[in-house]
Amino acid sequence: MRSSFSESALRALGVFGLTTDDAHAESSSRAHAAQCRASAIDQSLRPGQLALITGPSASGKSSILQALAESLRPDCLVRGGAAPALAARVIDALAPSAAELPLALRSLSAAGLADAFIPARPIGALSAGESARLAIAHAVMRAESLVAQCRSPTIILDDFADALDDATAIAVSHALRRWLARHPRSRIVIATVRPHVAHALRPDLRLDLGTPTLPGERPLLPSASDHATSDHPEPIIYTGTPADYQTLAHFHYRAARPATIARILVARATGGREPIGVLVVSMPTLNAAWRTLAWPGAYADTGRHGPLAASARSPHRKRALAHAINRDLRCLSRLIVHPLHRARGVASALLRTYLAAPLTRRTECPSAMGVASPVFLRAGMREWTLPPARRDLALLDALRAADLATWMLADIDLALDRIAAHPHLDRSLRIWANAHGPTRPLAGAPARVLIRAAAKHIIAPRRAYTASEPPDECPRPATSAPRAAGE
Protein backbone atom coordinates (compact mmCIF):
# COMPACT_ATOMS: atom_id res chain seq x y z
CA MET A 1 0.00 0.00 0.00
CA ARG A 2 1.34 3.39 -1.01
CA SER A 3 1.30 6.15 1.65
CA SER A 4 -0.68 9.29 0.91
CA PHE A 5 2.15 11.21 2.57
CA SER A 6 5.29 12.05 0.64
CA GLU A 7 8.71 11.04 1.93
CA SER A 8 9.40 14.64 2.93
CA ALA A 9 6.12 14.82 4.86
CA LEU A 10 6.86 11.59 6.73
CA ARG A 11 10.39 12.73 7.53
CA ALA A 12 9.00 16.06 8.80
CA LEU A 13 6.58 14.21 11.12
CA GLY A 14 9.41 12.06 12.35
CA VAL A 15 11.51 15.06 13.31
CA PHE A 16 8.88 15.90 15.95
CA GLY A 17 8.21 12.33 16.99
CA LEU A 18 4.81 12.26 15.30
CA THR A 19 3.11 9.71 13.04
CA THR A 20 0.38 9.82 10.44
CA ASP A 21 -2.12 8.85 13.18
CA ASP A 22 -1.24 12.06 15.00
CA ALA A 23 -1.62 14.05 11.78
CA HIS A 24 -5.02 12.49 11.02
CA ALA A 25 -6.24 13.09 14.59
CA GLU A 26 -5.17 16.74 14.51
CA SER A 27 -6.81 17.26 11.12
CA SER A 28 -10.01 15.55 12.25
CA SER A 29 -10.12 17.67 15.41
CA ARG A 30 -9.76 20.91 13.46
CA ALA A 31 -12.39 19.84 10.94
CA HIS A 32 -14.83 18.88 13.70
CA ALA A 33 -14.35 22.20 15.49
CA ALA A 34 -14.83 24.11 12.24
CA GLN A 35 -18.00 22.17 11.42
CA CYS A 36 -19.48 22.82 14.87
CA ARG A 37 -18.81 26.54 14.65
CA ALA A 38 -20.07 26.72 11.08
CA SER A 39 -23.25 24.94 12.11
CA ALA A 40 -23.76 27.37 15.00
CA ILE A 41 -23.43 30.32 12.62
CA ASP A 42 -25.78 28.80 10.04
CA GLN A 43 -28.45 28.04 12.65
CA SER A 44 -28.22 31.38 14.46
CA LEU A 45 -27.81 33.83 11.58
CA ARG A 46 -31.10 35.11 10.19
CA PRO A 47 -31.71 36.79 6.81
CA GLY A 48 -30.66 40.42 6.95
CA GLN A 49 -27.94 39.69 9.51
CA LEU A 50 -24.14 39.68 9.47
CA ALA A 51 -21.73 37.40 11.32
CA LEU A 52 -18.12 38.40 11.97
CA ILE A 53 -15.28 35.97 12.70
CA THR A 54 -12.11 37.59 14.00
CA GLY A 55 -8.79 36.17 15.14
CA PRO A 56 -5.12 36.07 14.23
CA SER A 57 -3.76 34.30 11.19
CA ALA A 58 -4.04 30.47 11.35
CA SER A 59 -6.68 30.56 14.07
CA GLY A 60 -9.17 28.62 11.95
CA LYS A 61 -11.26 31.35 10.32
CA SER A 62 -10.94 30.00 6.78
CA SER A 63 -11.70 26.46 7.93
CA ILE A 64 -14.98 27.64 9.44
CA LEU A 65 -15.94 29.45 6.25
CA GLN A 66 -15.08 26.37 4.18
CA ALA A 67 -17.21 24.15 6.42
CA LEU A 68 -20.07 26.64 6.19
CA ALA A 69 -19.81 26.79 2.40
CA GLU A 70 -19.94 23.00 2.16
CA SER A 71 -23.10 22.89 4.25
CA LEU A 72 -25.05 25.41 2.13
CA ARG A 73 -26.99 24.82 -1.04
CA PRO A 74 -24.83 25.81 -4.03
CA ASP A 75 -27.62 27.98 -5.46
CA CYS A 76 -27.72 30.06 -2.24
CA LEU A 77 -23.96 30.43 -1.75
CA VAL A 78 -21.89 33.42 -2.86
CA ARG A 79 -18.17 33.37 -2.13
CA GLY A 80 -16.08 36.48 -2.47
CA GLY A 81 -13.09 35.78 -4.66
CA ALA A 82 -10.97 37.17 -7.44
CA ALA A 83 -12.68 38.63 -10.49
CA PRO A 84 -12.70 36.51 -13.67
CA ALA A 85 -9.16 36.32 -14.97
CA LEU A 86 -10.24 36.73 -18.61
CA ALA A 87 -11.94 40.07 -18.03
CA ALA A 88 -9.91 42.92 -19.50
CA ARG A 89 -11.40 45.74 -17.51
CA VAL A 90 -13.24 46.12 -14.23
CA ILE A 91 -16.70 46.43 -15.76
CA ASP A 92 -16.09 43.38 -17.97
CA ALA A 93 -15.79 41.26 -14.82
CA LEU A 94 -19.23 42.34 -13.65
CA ALA A 95 -21.30 43.18 -16.72
CA PRO A 96 -20.65 40.97 -19.76
CA SER A 97 -23.84 42.43 -21.27
CA ALA A 98 -25.14 46.00 -21.37
CA ALA A 99 -28.30 44.97 -19.50
CA GLU A 100 -26.21 44.21 -16.41
CA LEU A 101 -24.49 47.61 -16.37
CA PRO A 102 -26.76 49.43 -13.83
CA LEU A 103 -26.51 46.54 -11.35
CA ALA A 104 -22.74 46.36 -11.87
CA LEU A 105 -22.31 50.07 -11.13
CA ARG A 106 -24.40 49.78 -7.97
CA SER A 107 -22.31 46.79 -6.87
CA LEU A 108 -19.09 48.74 -7.37
CA SER A 109 -20.55 51.51 -5.23
CA ALA A 110 -21.47 49.00 -2.51
CA ALA A 111 -17.85 47.80 -2.48
CA GLY A 112 -16.39 51.29 -2.11
CA LEU A 113 -15.46 51.72 -5.78
CA ALA A 114 -17.84 54.60 -6.57
CA ASP A 115 -15.50 56.35 -8.99
CA ALA A 116 -16.43 57.28 -12.56
CA PHE A 117 -13.15 56.00 -14.01
CA ILE A 118 -12.88 52.69 -12.11
CA PRO A 119 -15.24 50.67 -14.38
CA ALA A 120 -13.08 51.24 -17.47
CA ARG A 121 -9.75 50.67 -15.68
CA PRO A 122 -7.77 47.54 -16.65
CA ILE A 123 -7.97 44.85 -13.96
CA GLY A 124 -4.21 44.43 -14.14
CA ALA A 125 -3.78 48.09 -13.18
CA LEU A 126 -5.73 47.76 -9.91
CA SER A 127 -3.96 47.92 -6.59
CA ALA A 128 -4.29 45.05 -4.11
CA GLY A 129 -6.90 47.04 -2.20
CA GLU A 130 -8.92 47.82 -5.33
CA SER A 131 -8.77 44.16 -6.37
CA ALA A 132 -10.10 43.15 -2.97
CA ARG A 133 -12.99 45.59 -3.32
CA LEU A 134 -13.71 44.32 -6.84
CA ALA A 135 -14.05 40.81 -5.39
CA ILE A 136 -16.62 42.17 -2.93
CA ALA A 137 -18.49 43.90 -5.76
CA HIS A 138 -18.52 40.61 -7.68
CA ALA A 139 -20.05 38.84 -4.67
CA VAL A 140 -22.61 41.58 -4.05
CA MET A 141 -23.75 41.52 -7.67
CA ARG A 142 -24.14 37.74 -7.62
CA ALA A 143 -26.16 37.99 -4.41
CA GLU A 144 -28.48 40.62 -5.90
CA SER A 145 -29.10 38.32 -8.86
CA LEU A 146 -30.11 35.51 -6.48
CA VAL A 147 -32.38 37.85 -4.51
CA ALA A 148 -34.09 38.75 -7.79
CA GLN A 149 -34.81 35.02 -8.19
CA CYS A 150 -36.50 35.02 -4.74
CA ARG A 151 -33.62 33.20 -3.07
CA SER A 152 -31.89 34.00 0.20
CA PRO A 153 -28.15 34.01 -0.50
CA THR A 154 -25.33 33.79 2.02
CA ILE A 155 -22.25 35.84 1.12
CA ILE A 156 -18.98 34.50 2.50
CA LEU A 157 -16.02 36.89 2.56
CA ASP A 158 -12.64 35.64 3.74
CA ASP A 159 -9.61 37.84 4.47
CA PHE A 160 -11.96 40.82 4.50
CA ALA A 161 -10.16 44.20 4.43
CA ASP A 162 -6.75 42.56 4.85
CA ALA A 163 -5.37 44.50 1.87
CA LEU A 164 -7.00 47.81 2.80
CA ASP A 165 -5.77 50.72 4.88
CA ASP A 166 -7.71 51.47 8.06
CA ALA A 167 -9.81 54.33 6.66
CA THR A 168 -10.76 52.45 3.50
CA ALA A 169 -11.57 49.30 5.50
CA ILE A 170 -14.01 51.31 7.62
CA ALA A 171 -15.58 52.95 4.55
CA VAL A 172 -16.08 49.59 2.80
CA SER A 173 -17.51 48.09 6.00
CA HIS A 174 -20.09 50.87 6.24
CA ALA A 175 -20.98 50.41 2.56
CA LEU A 176 -21.45 46.66 2.98
CA ARG A 177 -23.63 47.06 6.06
CA ARG A 178 -25.82 49.60 4.24
CA TRP A 179 -26.13 47.22 1.28
CA LEU A 180 -27.32 44.45 3.62
CA ALA A 181 -29.95 46.77 5.10
CA ARG A 182 -31.35 47.26 1.59
CA HIS A 183 -31.30 43.51 0.84
CA PRO A 184 -32.73 41.82 3.94
CA ARG A 185 -33.09 38.44 2.23
CA SER A 186 -29.30 38.08 2.27
CA ARG A 187 -26.87 37.00 4.99
CA ILE A 188 -23.18 37.89 5.21
CA VAL A 189 -20.42 35.98 7.00
CA ILE A 190 -17.05 37.73 7.21
CA ALA A 191 -13.66 36.59 8.48
CA THR A 192 -10.89 39.09 9.12
CA VAL A 193 -7.74 39.69 11.16
CA ARG A 194 -8.88 43.30 11.72
CA PRO A 195 -11.28 43.42 14.67
CA HIS A 196 -11.62 47.21 14.53
CA VAL A 197 -13.96 46.96 11.50
CA ALA A 198 -16.60 45.51 13.85
CA HIS A 199 -17.73 49.03 14.76
CA ALA A 200 -18.59 49.74 11.11
CA LEU A 201 -19.92 46.27 10.26
CA ARG A 202 -22.12 46.10 13.39
CA PRO A 203 -22.28 42.27 13.38
CA ASP A 204 -25.36 40.51 14.69
CA LEU A 205 -23.16 37.54 15.66
CA ARG A 206 -19.48 37.56 16.46
CA LEU A 207 -16.97 34.76 16.90
CA ASP A 208 -13.61 35.83 18.32
CA LEU A 209 -11.01 33.10 17.85
CA GLY A 210 -8.31 35.13 19.56
CA THR A 211 -9.78 35.49 23.07
CA PRO A 212 -11.42 32.26 24.30
CA THR A 213 -13.38 32.72 27.51
CA LEU A 214 -12.65 29.21 28.81
CA PRO A 215 -9.92 26.71 27.97
CA GLY A 216 -10.86 25.14 24.66
CA GLU A 217 -14.03 27.24 24.32
CA ARG A 218 -14.58 29.88 21.65
CA PRO A 219 -18.26 30.77 21.80
CA LEU A 220 -20.44 32.42 19.23
CA LEU A 221 -21.63 35.65 20.79
CA PRO A 222 -24.55 37.91 19.91
CA SER A 223 -23.36 41.45 19.21
CA ALA A 224 -26.35 43.58 20.16
CA SER A 225 -24.07 46.01 21.98
CA ASP A 226 -22.34 46.91 18.72
CA HIS A 227 -25.62 48.26 17.36
CA ALA A 228 -26.10 50.51 20.36
CA THR A 229 -22.64 52.01 20.58
CA SER A 230 -20.83 51.91 17.27
CA ASP A 231 -23.03 53.67 14.70
CA HIS A 232 -20.98 56.36 13.02
CA PRO A 233 -22.21 59.82 14.05
CA GLU A 234 -24.19 61.98 11.65
CA PRO A 235 -22.01 64.50 9.83
CA ILE A 236 -22.37 68.15 10.83
CA ILE A 237 -23.71 70.33 8.00
CA TYR A 238 -22.62 73.97 7.71
CA THR A 239 -22.97 76.78 5.23
CA GLY A 240 -19.80 76.48 3.19
CA THR A 241 -17.56 78.57 0.99
CA PRO A 242 -16.09 78.18 -2.51
CA ALA A 243 -12.87 77.09 -0.81
CA ASP A 244 -14.72 74.12 0.71
CA TYR A 245 -15.97 73.13 -2.73
CA GLN A 246 -12.50 73.54 -4.23
CA THR A 247 -11.04 71.17 -1.59
CA LEU A 248 -13.19 68.31 -2.91
CA ALA A 249 -13.69 69.35 -6.55
CA HIS A 250 -11.03 66.98 -7.89
CA PHE A 251 -13.01 63.98 -6.60
CA HIS A 252 -15.85 64.77 -9.03
CA TYR A 253 -15.71 63.13 -12.44
CA ARG A 254 -16.37 66.57 -13.94
CA ALA A 255 -14.08 68.84 -12.00
CA ALA A 256 -15.00 72.05 -13.87
CA ARG A 257 -16.42 74.75 -11.61
CA PRO A 258 -20.20 75.31 -11.93
CA ALA A 259 -21.13 78.37 -13.98
CA THR A 260 -22.95 79.92 -11.02
CA ILE A 261 -22.98 79.28 -7.28
CA ALA A 262 -26.01 80.31 -5.21
CA ARG A 263 -25.19 78.40 -2.05
CA ILE A 264 -22.75 75.79 -0.71
CA LEU A 265 -23.38 73.28 2.05
CA VAL A 266 -20.42 71.45 3.54
CA ALA A 267 -20.32 68.33 5.72
CA ARG A 268 -17.68 67.74 8.36
CA ALA A 269 -17.15 64.79 10.65
CA THR A 270 -17.71 65.42 14.34
CA GLY A 271 -14.58 67.10 15.65
CA GLY A 272 -13.07 67.39 12.15
CA ARG A 273 -12.02 70.57 10.35
CA GLU A 274 -11.66 69.32 6.78
CA PRO A 275 -14.79 68.98 4.60
CA ILE A 276 -15.85 65.41 3.86
CA GLY A 277 -18.73 66.33 1.55
CA VAL A 278 -20.08 69.34 -0.30
CA LEU A 279 -23.31 70.29 -2.08
CA VAL A 280 -23.27 73.18 -4.55
CA VAL A 281 -26.53 74.94 -5.44
CA SER A 282 -26.59 76.93 -8.68
CA MET A 283 -28.92 79.11 -10.70
CA PRO A 284 -31.03 77.12 -13.18
CA THR A 285 -30.53 77.04 -16.94
CA LEU A 286 -33.26 78.65 -19.03
CA ASN A 287 -34.07 75.47 -20.98
CA ALA A 288 -34.51 72.05 -19.38
CA ALA A 289 -36.56 69.24 -20.91
CA TRP A 290 -37.42 67.63 -17.56
CA ARG A 291 -39.46 70.64 -16.42
CA THR A 292 -42.28 69.81 -18.82
CA LEU A 293 -42.51 66.40 -17.08
CA ALA A 294 -42.08 67.58 -13.50
CA TRP A 295 -44.17 70.76 -13.69
CA PRO A 296 -46.36 70.60 -16.83
CA GLY A 297 -47.16 74.03 -18.20
CA ALA A 298 -45.41 75.93 -15.42
CA TYR A 299 -42.50 77.15 -17.53
CA ALA A 300 -43.71 76.60 -21.09
CA ASP A 301 -43.08 79.46 -23.48
CA THR A 302 -46.34 78.86 -25.33
CA GLY A 303 -48.68 80.54 -27.73
CA ARG A 304 -52.22 79.61 -28.75
CA HIS A 305 -51.11 76.48 -30.59
CA GLY A 306 -48.35 75.12 -28.36
CA PRO A 307 -44.67 75.92 -27.75
CA LEU A 308 -43.44 78.92 -29.65
CA ALA A 309 -40.47 78.69 -31.97
CA ALA A 310 -37.45 80.67 -30.86
CA SER A 311 -38.01 83.18 -33.67
CA ALA A 312 -41.58 83.78 -32.49
CA ARG A 313 -40.75 84.50 -28.86
CA SER A 314 -40.97 88.13 -27.92
CA PRO A 315 -38.26 89.63 -25.70
CA HIS A 316 -40.93 90.38 -23.11
CA ARG A 317 -42.12 86.77 -23.08
CA LYS A 318 -38.58 85.46 -22.74
CA ARG A 319 -37.83 87.85 -19.87
CA ALA A 320 -41.02 86.79 -18.06
CA LEU A 321 -40.11 83.11 -18.49
CA ALA A 322 -36.56 83.68 -17.22
CA HIS A 323 -37.89 85.62 -14.24
CA ALA A 324 -40.28 82.78 -13.31
CA ILE A 325 -37.53 80.16 -13.57
CA ASN A 326 -35.04 82.20 -11.52
CA ARG A 327 -37.73 82.92 -8.91
CA ASP A 328 -38.93 79.32 -8.50
CA LEU A 329 -35.94 77.09 -9.16
CA ARG A 330 -32.45 76.27 -8.00
CA CYS A 331 -30.27 73.50 -9.40
CA LEU A 332 -28.10 71.07 -7.43
CA SER A 333 -25.02 71.24 -9.64
CA ARG A 334 -22.42 69.32 -7.57
CA LEU A 335 -22.69 66.66 -4.87
CA ILE A 336 -19.24 65.40 -3.85
CA VAL A 337 -18.20 63.12 -0.99
CA HIS A 338 -14.59 62.27 -0.12
CA PRO A 339 -13.92 58.61 -1.13
CA LEU A 340 -13.07 57.60 2.44
CA HIS A 341 -16.44 58.83 3.68
CA ARG A 342 -18.72 57.44 0.99
CA ALA A 343 -21.55 55.07 1.95
CA ARG A 344 -21.80 56.70 5.39
CA GLY A 345 -24.88 58.78 4.59
CA VAL A 346 -22.96 62.02 3.97
CA ALA A 347 -24.55 62.65 0.56
CA SER A 348 -28.03 61.90 1.91
CA ALA A 349 -27.46 64.22 4.88
CA LEU A 350 -26.44 67.08 2.58
CA LEU A 351 -29.47 66.56 0.33
CA ARG A 352 -31.92 66.27 3.23
CA THR A 353 -30.51 69.39 4.88
CA TYR A 354 -30.94 71.48 1.75
CA LEU A 355 -34.36 70.09 0.80
CA ALA A 356 -35.63 70.74 4.33
CA ALA A 357 -35.10 74.48 3.79
CA PRO A 358 -34.45 75.17 0.10
CA LEU A 359 -33.75 78.58 -1.40
CA THR A 360 -36.76 78.21 -3.71
CA ARG A 361 -39.94 76.15 -3.73
CA ARG A 362 -38.67 73.88 -6.51
CA THR A 363 -35.35 72.08 -6.82
CA GLU A 364 -33.88 70.22 -9.79
CA CYS A 365 -30.79 68.14 -10.42
CA PRO A 366 -29.67 66.61 -13.72
CA SER A 367 -27.34 63.78 -12.74
CA ALA A 368 -25.66 60.73 -14.22
CA MET A 369 -24.98 59.49 -10.67
CA GLY A 370 -28.53 58.16 -10.36
CA VAL A 371 -27.75 55.06 -12.43
CA ALA A 372 -25.20 53.93 -9.82
CA SER A 373 -26.65 55.31 -6.60
CA PRO A 374 -30.23 55.90 -5.40
CA VAL A 375 -29.13 58.79 -3.18
CA PHE A 376 -31.53 61.30 -4.78
CA LEU A 377 -34.48 58.94 -4.51
CA ARG A 378 -33.66 58.20 -0.87
CA ALA A 379 -33.66 61.94 -0.19
CA GLY A 380 -37.23 62.13 -1.47
CA MET A 381 -36.62 63.47 -4.97
CA ARG A 382 -38.44 62.15 -8.03
CA GLU A 383 -36.59 60.68 -10.99
CA TRP A 384 -37.32 61.54 -14.61
CA THR A 385 -35.83 59.68 -17.57
CA LEU A 386 -35.91 61.96 -20.58
CA PRO A 387 -36.68 60.85 -24.13
CA PRO A 388 -34.19 61.86 -26.83
CA ALA A 389 -34.60 65.38 -28.21
CA ARG A 390 -35.40 65.91 -31.89
CA ARG A 391 -31.81 66.77 -32.72
CA ASP A 392 -30.64 63.63 -30.89
CA LEU A 393 -32.99 61.44 -32.94
CA ALA A 394 -31.59 62.87 -36.17
CA LEU A 395 -28.03 62.16 -35.04
CA LEU A 396 -28.99 58.64 -33.92
CA ASP A 397 -30.36 57.97 -37.40
CA ALA A 398 -27.07 59.11 -38.94
CA LEU A 399 -25.10 56.89 -36.56
CA ARG A 400 -27.23 53.87 -37.44
CA ALA A 401 -26.74 54.53 -41.16
CA ALA A 402 -22.98 54.33 -40.54
CA ASP A 403 -23.37 51.19 -38.40
CA LEU A 404 -22.01 53.09 -35.40
CA ALA A 405 -23.66 52.24 -32.08
CA THR A 406 -24.07 55.18 -29.71
CA TRP A 407 -21.80 53.63 -27.07
CA MET A 408 -19.00 53.49 -29.66
CA LEU A 409 -18.76 57.28 -29.46
CA ALA A 410 -16.94 56.80 -26.15
CA ASP A 411 -13.95 55.60 -28.21
CA ILE A 412 -13.16 58.81 -30.05
CA ASP A 413 -10.50 57.27 -32.30
CA LEU A 414 -12.94 54.55 -33.38
CA ALA A 415 -15.57 57.19 -34.15
CA LEU A 416 -13.05 59.25 -36.15
CA ASP A 417 -12.23 56.22 -38.29
CA ARG A 418 -15.94 55.69 -38.95
CA ILE A 419 -16.37 59.37 -39.91
CA ALA A 420 -13.52 59.01 -42.39
CA ALA A 421 -15.44 56.16 -44.03
CA HIS A 422 -18.82 57.93 -43.79
CA PRO A 423 -18.30 61.68 -44.36
CA HIS A 424 -22.02 62.41 -43.79
CA LEU A 425 -21.42 61.75 -40.07
CA ASP A 426 -19.27 64.86 -39.75
CA ARG A 427 -22.06 66.98 -41.24
CA SER A 428 -24.65 65.33 -38.98
CA LEU A 429 -22.56 66.08 -35.89
CA ARG A 430 -22.27 69.75 -36.86
CA ILE A 431 -25.99 70.03 -37.51
CA TRP A 432 -26.59 68.40 -34.11
CA ALA A 433 -24.31 70.91 -32.37
CA ASN A 434 -25.82 73.91 -34.17
CA ALA A 435 -29.37 72.93 -33.15
CA HIS A 436 -28.90 73.82 -29.47
CA GLY A 437 -27.59 77.01 -27.89
CA PRO A 438 -25.05 75.55 -25.44
CA THR A 439 -23.42 73.39 -28.15
CA ARG A 440 -23.75 75.88 -31.02
CA PRO A 441 -20.20 77.24 -30.55
CA LEU A 442 -18.91 73.70 -31.22
CA ALA A 443 -20.44 73.52 -34.71
CA GLY A 444 -17.15 74.62 -36.24
CA ALA A 445 -14.89 72.74 -33.82
CA PRO A 446 -12.64 69.80 -34.77
CA ALA A 447 -14.41 66.45 -35.10
CA ARG A 448 -12.77 65.10 -31.94
CA VAL A 449 -14.34 67.89 -29.88
CA LEU A 450 -17.74 67.29 -31.48
CA ILE A 451 -17.60 63.55 -30.79
CA ARG A 452 -16.72 64.14 -27.15
CA ALA A 453 -19.68 66.50 -26.73
CA ALA A 454 -22.09 64.11 -28.45
CA ALA A 455 -20.84 61.15 -26.42
CA LYS A 456 -21.50 62.95 -23.12
CA HIS A 457 -25.01 63.79 -24.26
CA ILE A 458 -26.49 60.75 -25.96
CA ILE A 459 -24.75 57.55 -24.82
CA ALA A 460 -26.64 57.23 -21.53
CA PRO A 461 -30.33 58.05 -21.02
CA ARG A 462 -30.59 61.49 -19.49
CA ARG A 463 -31.86 61.56 -15.92
CA ALA A 464 -33.05 64.41 -13.77
CA TYR A 465 -34.37 64.63 -10.21
CA THR A 466 -36.84 67.15 -8.86
CA ALA A 467 -38.38 68.12 -5.55
CA SER A 468 -41.15 70.60 -4.70
CA GLU A 469 -42.61 72.18 -1.63
CA PRO A 470 -46.40 72.04 -1.21
CA PRO A 471 -47.96 74.60 -3.58
CA ASP A 472 -49.58 76.58 -0.76
CA GLU A 473 -46.26 77.24 0.96
CA CYS A 474 -44.26 80.34 0.20
CA PRO A 475 -40.58 80.05 -0.65
CA ARG A 476 -38.52 80.44 2.48
CA PRO A 477 -34.83 81.15 2.90
CA ALA A 478 -32.57 78.31 3.92
CA THR A 479 -31.37 78.42 7.49
CA SER A 480 -27.71 78.14 8.30
CA ALA A 481 -26.22 75.84 10.89
CA PRO A 482 -23.81 77.41 13.38
CA ARG A 483 -20.53 78.09 11.74
CA ALA A 484 -17.47 76.31 13.06
CA ALA A 485 -14.75 78.29 14.75
CA GLY A 486 -12.41 79.90 12.29
CA GLU A 487 -14.85 79.84 9.38
Side-chain angles (χ1 to χ4, degrees):
M1 176 180 175
R2 186 180 182 87
S3 174
S4 61
F5 288 74
S6 67
E7 179 182 347
S8 295
L10 292 173
R11 285 180 176 273
L13 285 172
V15 168
F16 298 99
L18 300 174
T19 68
T20 55
D21 284 351
D22 299 309
H24 287 310
E26 190 271 342
S27 178
S28 177
S29 176
R30 281 192 297 107
H32 177 71
Q35 288 169 358
C36 290
R37 291 162 182 157
S39 178
I41 292 173
D42 189 31
Q43 293 174 16
S44 303
L45 195 65
R46 306 269 72 84
Q49 293 186 336
L50 184 148
L52 177 64
I53 306 172
T54 56
S57 179
S59 59
K61 301 184 300 297
S62 297
S63 298
I64 296 171
L65 294 186
Q66 180 61 33
L68 178 61
E70 292 173 355
S71 68
L72 297 173
R73 289 173 44 185
D75 59 349
C76 291
L77 170 65
V78 178
R79 301 198 69 167
L86 297 179
R89 298 181 184 274
V90 168
I91 199 64
D92 299 331
L94 302 178
S97 67
E100 297 172 288
L101 183 59
L103 176 56
L105 293 176
R106 292 197 302 271
S107 300
L108 287 171
S109 178
L113 291 173
D115 184 287
F117 295 101
I118 285 287
R121 189 170 296 170
I123 287 181
L126 297 180
S127 67
E130 288 171 333
S131 296
R133 282 177 280 172
L134 177 57
I136 294 173
H138 196 261
V140 163
M141 186 172 178
R142 171 63 179 154
E144 286 205 36
S145 299
L146 293 177
V147 169
Q149 300 170 28
C150 298
R151 295 177 183 166
S152 298
T154 298
I155 301 176
I156 293 178
L157 301 175
D158 199 2
D159 298 324
F160 178 77
D162 287 5
L164 305 179
D165 61 88
D166 289 347
T168 303
I170 295 297
V172 173
S173 298
H174 281 303
L176 197 58
R177 185 73 217 197
R178 287 167 65 90
W179 178 89
L180 182 60
R182 296 193 298 269
H183 299 84
R185 293 180 63 95
S186 303
R187 306 186 303 174
I188 301 179
V189 183
I190 289 175
T192 181
V193 297
R194 311 183 76 168
H196 73 281
V197 298
H199 292 294
L201 288 171
R202 291 175 286 140
D204 301 277
L205 297 173
R206 183 167 179 180
L207 177 60
D208 188 350
L209 301 179
T211 55
T213 57
L214 293 173
E217 181 184 7
R218 293 182 172 93
L220 182 68
L221 300 174
S223 297
S225 60
D226 282 336
H227 292 273
T229 61
S230 64
D231 283 338
H232 57 278
E234 283 288 318
I236 302 174
I237 310 298
Y238 295 91
T239 298
T241 67
D244 292 317
Y245 158 69
Q246 208 59 46
T247 300
L248 298 176
H250 64 286
F251 290 117
H252 198 273
Y253 62 97
R254 291 180 180 172
R257 183 186 176 95
T260 61
I261 295 179
R263 190 183 182 198
I264 294 175
L265 291 181
V266 61
R268 289 188 174 92
T270 303
R273 295 187 59 85
E274 294 299 318
I276 62 174
V278 67
L279 175 69
V280 179
V281 184
S282 297
M283 299 299 294
T285 60
L286 185 60
N287 299 304
W290 57 83
R291 291 178 195 146
T292 60
L293 301 175
W295 305 292
Y299 307 107
D301 191 3
T302 59
R304 294 178 59 187
H305 304 290
L308 291 172
S311 59
R313 297 173 186 158
S314 69
H316 175 73
R317 188 186 296 272
K318 291 174 68 175
R319 283 195 298 270
L321 177 62
H323 175 74
I325 291 174
N326 287 328
R327 177 196 64 212
D328 293 349
L329 288 166
R330 289 295 178 271
C331 177
L332 308 182
S333 57
R334 294 290 187 273
L335 178 59
I336 312 171
V337 178
H338 191 287
L340 294 181
H341 295 273
R342 289 171 183 166
R344 299 193 186 192
V346 176
S348 295
L350 285 165
L351 287 171
R352 288 196 306 269
T353 299
Y354 178 76
L355 294 176
L359 292 172
T360 53
R361 66 191 184 100
R362 290 171 177 164
T363 304
E364 60 187 13
C365 178
S367 176
M369 187 194 305
V371 70
S373 171
V375 62
F376 298 106
L377 295 176
R378 288 202 298 266
M381 302 185 78
R382 184 169 181 181
E383 181 181 75
W384 306 95
T385 301
L386 308 180
R390 185 179 302 175
R391 68 167 186 151
D392 298 335
L393 293 173
L395 180 58
L396 291 170
D397 286 341
L399 294 174
R400 279 192 290 269
D403 196 27
L404 186 67
T406 54
W407 54 267
M408 293 179 180
L409 290 177
D411 189 330
I412 295 181
D413 290 329
L414 173 63
L416 285 172
D417 286 345
R418 197 60 56 91
I419 287 176
H422 302 272
H424 75 277
L425 273 180
D426 184 81
R427 181 171 179 273
S428 296
L429 282 166
R430 299 186 187 283
I431 292 174
W432 172 84
N434 195 53
H436 190 49
T439 56
R440 192 166 293 134
L442 301 179
R448 177 176 288 274
V449 176
L450 275 173
I451 294 168
R452 185 182 296 113
K456 290 180 178 179
H457 190 78
I458 69 172
I459 289 180
R462 292 180 295 162
R463 285 177 169 83
Y465 300 84
T466 61
S468 302
E469 289 189 334
D472 57 338
E473 287 191 22
C474 297
R476 48 201 169 99
T479 59
S480 298
R483 298 174 67 86
E487 289 189 302

